[in-house]
Amino acid sequence: QVQLVESGGGLVRPGGSLTLSCAASGSRITIHAANWYRQAPGKERELVATLTSGGSTKYEDFVKGRFTISKDNIRNMVYLHMNSLEPEDTAVYYCKVTAGQNYKISDYWGQGTQVTVSS
């Protein structure tokens, strides 16, 4: 079983930066692809960034140029680097990982980490 633990959220002023981390644990796992989603109060969960199995990255328009998704295959970590944060970025951020373990590939979700952008 693969477990994901997110960290790095917190309170930041507008214009500030944060880096979210998503640690995947479990034996013999390989991260193939990853996504970051977010959910603001009263809103649907929305896709923020994608890292494909081929290494390509895709970003939703509202974060393009400000956020960067990356992964560390050795440490089984996925990151979301967030710059120029705006109050509208306030949300709970979730990582989703497509990982292989024991010849089985499945999607796994983290528990979420709160990001609050406020002065």
Side-chain angles (χ1 to χ4, degrees):
Q1 185 71 12
V2 176
Q3 291 187 323
L4 302 182
V5 177
E6 294 148 354
S7 60
L11 174 64
V12 63
R13 294 185 183 276
S17 300
L18 279 177
T19 295
L20 305 183
S21 300
C22 177
S25 62
S27 62
R28 299 181 181 178
I29 61 172
T30 302
I31 296 176
H32 296 289
N35 304 91
W36 284 94
Y37 289 76
R38 70 185 186 186
Q39 187 167 18
K43 294 189 177 181
E44 301 267 323
R45 188 174 297 190
E46 60 184 0
L47 177 64
V48 174
T50 298
L51 178 60
T52 71
S53 58
S56 300
T57 57
K58 302 175 186 177
Y59 302 94
E60 296 305 301
D61 286 344
F62 49 80
V63 302
K64 200 172 291 184
R66 301 188 296 124
F67 290 12
T68 303
I69 186 172
S70 63
K71 71 181 173 98
D72 182 330
N73 288 326
I74 295 175
R75 298 181 180 180
N76 286 330
M77 298 284 294
V78 177
Y79 303 100
L80 185 68
H81 308 277
M82 307 186 294
N83 297 318
S84 301
L85 284 161
E86 304 167 352
E88 294 73 22
D89 296 317
T90 295
V92 177
Y93 284 72
Y94 299 88
C95 68
K96 188 187 84 171
V97 165
T98 302
Q101 184 182 44
N102 298 327
Y103 307 106
K104 179 183 176 183
I105 297 176
S106 298
D107 289 339
Y108 302 91
W109 285 86
Q111 83 288 353
T113 186
Q114 176 70 46
V115 172
T116 303
V117 185
S118 175
S119 56

